[in-house]
Amino acid sequence: MQKKRKVMSLVLTVVGTILLLVGCGNTGNQSNRTDGENTTGKLKIVTTFYPMYDFTKNIVQDKADVAMLIPAGTEPHDFEPSAKMIAQIENADVFIYNSDEMETWVPSALKAIDTKKVTVINASKGIEFIEHDEHDDHAETEEEEHSKEHHHAVDPHVWLDPVLAQIEVKNIQEGLATVDTENAASYQKNAAAYNEKLAALDQEFKEAFKNATNRVFVTQHAAFAYLAKQYELTQISISGLSAETEPSPAKLAELTEYVNKYHVEYIYFENNASSKIAETLANEVGIELAILDPIEGVTQKEQEAGVDYIQVMKNNLEALKKSIY
C-alpha cells in the first residue's frame, strides 16, 4: 500500500511539473497585455477613424495588430464611444487619435483609462490649427440670436493636406518607436517610404493648380480649409465643420448670389452624408453636384477593393479639377 502511495505521489508530481512547464511556455506567446484577447504577441493598437488607421497600417505593416474604433460610414464629428469601446482602448498597448478638436470625446475618455499602461499618441501634435468662424454656418438658436458674439471652433481636418499628413505619420511613427523599440527601425523605414508617397501626392496637387486662374470651390462640408490653404485655393462652404449642420436662410441666399455672380458650375458634397443641403442650392441655381471626400469613413468593402487614403485624395484631386482650372 505504501509503495502504491509513493508511485501515485510521483505521478502527480510529474503531471504537475508538465502542466507548469506548459503554462510557462504559453506565456511567452502572449502580448504584454493581460486582457487575454491578444494571442499574437504583437503590439496591439487602437486607432479612432480611417486616416489614423491607414497611416498606422502603413507604418507598422505586419509588425503590429491595428484596429479602427469608429465604424466605417459613421459620422465621426458626432461620435460618442460606448463602454465596450472604452474597454477596447483600455486593453490596447497604444491608442492613436487625430486631435482633441476632432475626437472631442477623447479627453474625458482618457480619464477612465490608465495611461501608464496605454500609450496615447496625438497625431496632430505640433500642427497649427485654423480657427473656423461658425457664426454664419448654421441656423441660430434663440439663445444665439440674442447674443452678438461670434462662435469660433477649431478646424480639425488637418489630414486632408498631404503636407500635414506627413507630420501626422511622423508623429505616429515616433510614438510607436518609444513603445516598441524592437521594431522601431522598421517603423521609421516604413514611415519614410509612405511619406515619400504623400510628398508625391503633394506634388500632383501643386502641378494641377499652379497655373489655375479660377481657384474657388463650393463645398457642403467645410472640411478642406487646410488643403485650400496649402494650394492657395478658396473654399466656400454651405454648412459648417459638421456635414449635417443646417445653414441659415441668409447663408443660402448669400451662396446663391455668389454662385450666380461667379458662374460656379459644381457644388461638392461628401458621400457619407446627406446631400440634401447641397441639392437644395444646386437645384435653386441649376448647377451640378460632385463628390469631395473628407476620408472620414472608408468602408470595409472599399478597403478590400484597394481604396485607401492616397487613392481617395487622388479622386479628390480629379474632382477639384472641375472647379479649379
Side-chain angles (χ1 to χ4, degrees), residues 215-218 224 228-229 231-236 258 324:
R215 310 185 73 85
V216 178
F217 62 100
V218 178
F224 300 91
K229 182 180 179 181
Y231 304 110
E232 299 180 349
L233 310 177
T234 299
Q235 169 192 247
I236 296 180
Y258 183 92
I324 312 299

Side-chain angles (χ1 to χ4, degrees), residues 138-154:
H138 64 279
E140 292 180 331
T141 64
E142 289 184 10
E143 182 181 348
E144 289 171 342
E145 285 176 352
H146 292 293
S147 172
K148 293 184 179 180
E149 295 181 2
H150 280 203
H151 297 269
H152 296 276
V154 172

Side-chain angles (χ1 to χ4, degrees), residues 42-54:
K42 296 179 180 180
L43 199 69
K44 187 176 176 183
I45 305 169
V46 171
T47 62
T48 48
F49 65 114
Y50 184 75
M52 301 301 100
Y53 171 82
D54 195 33

Side-chain angles (χ1 to χ4, degrees), residues 72-313:
T74 302
E75 171 53 60
H77 290 277
D78 305 319
F79 176 79
E80 288 292 337
S82 65
K84 184 177 180 180
M85 290 174 174
I86 297 296
Q88 187 178 351
I89 298 171
E90 176 69 36
N91 290 330
D93 296 302
V94 182
F95 172 60
I96 300 171
Y97 72 111
N98 181 74
S99 64
D100 293 347
E101 290 74 20
M102 181 65 185
E103 300 95 323
T104 55
W105 50 270
V106 165
S108 54
L110 292 181
K111 292 177 182 177
I113 292 168
D114 186 352
T115 52
K116 291 181 180 179
K117 294 181 180 178
V118 183
T119 298
V120 178
I121 299 174
N122 180 338
S124 62
K125 183 181 67 174
I127 293 176
E128 184 177 348
F129 287 89
I130 294 173
E131 191 174 75
H132 178 80
D133 186 351
E134 292 194 322
H135 180 73
D136 293 324
D137 284 340
H138 64 279
E140 292 180 331
T141 64
E142 289 184 10
E143 182 181 348
E144 289 171 342
E145 285 176 352
H146 292 293
S147 172
K148 293 184 179 180
E149 295 181 2
H150 280 203
H151 297 269
H152 296 276
V154 172
D155 186 341
H157 301 89
V158 294
W159 65 89
L160 290 167
D161 174 352
V163 175
L164 298 183
Q166 293 174 59
I167 296 175
E168 295 208 291
V169 168
K170 185 67 173 174
N171 284 338
I172 294 170
Q173 174 256 310
E174 289 179 347
L176 291 173
T178 65
V179 184
D180 187 3
T181 54
E182 183 179 342
N183 291 306
S186 176
Y187 297 157
Q188 184 176 18
K189 180 181 177 181
N190 295 340
Y194 187 64
N195 271 348
E196 285 183 9
K197 295 180 181 179
L198 293 178
L201 179 66
D202 167 48
Q203 193 60 35
E204 286 187 50
F205 273 85
K206 285 178 179 175
E207 287 295 321
F209 301 144
K210 68 178 181 180
N211 296 321
T213 54
N214 183 42
R215 310 185 73 85
V216 178
F217 62 100
V218 178
T219 178
Q220 174 177 333
H221 184 184
F224 300 91
Y226 294 95
L227 183 145
K229 182 180 179 181
Q230 186 66 241
Y231 304 110
E232 299 180 349
L233 310 177
T234 299
Q235 169 192 247
I236 296 180
S237 64
I238 299 173
S239 58
L241 294 175
S242 172
E244 304 301 332
T245 304
E246 292 281 351
S248 66
K251 179 69 171 179
L252 281 174
E254 178 188 334
L255 282 163
T256 300
E257 182 181 350
Y258 183 92
V259 165
N260 286 327
K261 182 178 179 179
Y262 293 99
H263 309 291
V264 174
E265 298 178 2
Y266 290 90
I267 293 177
Y268 298 96
F269 71 99
E270 64 174 90
N271 51 353
N272 286 331
S274 169
S275 63
K276 67 178 183 178
I277 299 171
E279 286 173 352
T280 298
L281 182 58
N283 291 335
E284 188 166 335
V285 294
I287 60 178
E288 294 185 54
L289 294 177
I291 291 176
L292 204 56
D293 196 335
I295 326 181
E296 293 173 356
V298 176
T299 66
Q300 185 63 37
K301 185 177 180 180
E302 288 170 331
Q303 292 175 49
E304 291 170 357
V307 176
D308 59 11
Y309 171 88
I310 289 178
Q311 182 58 58
V312 178
M313 285 297 289

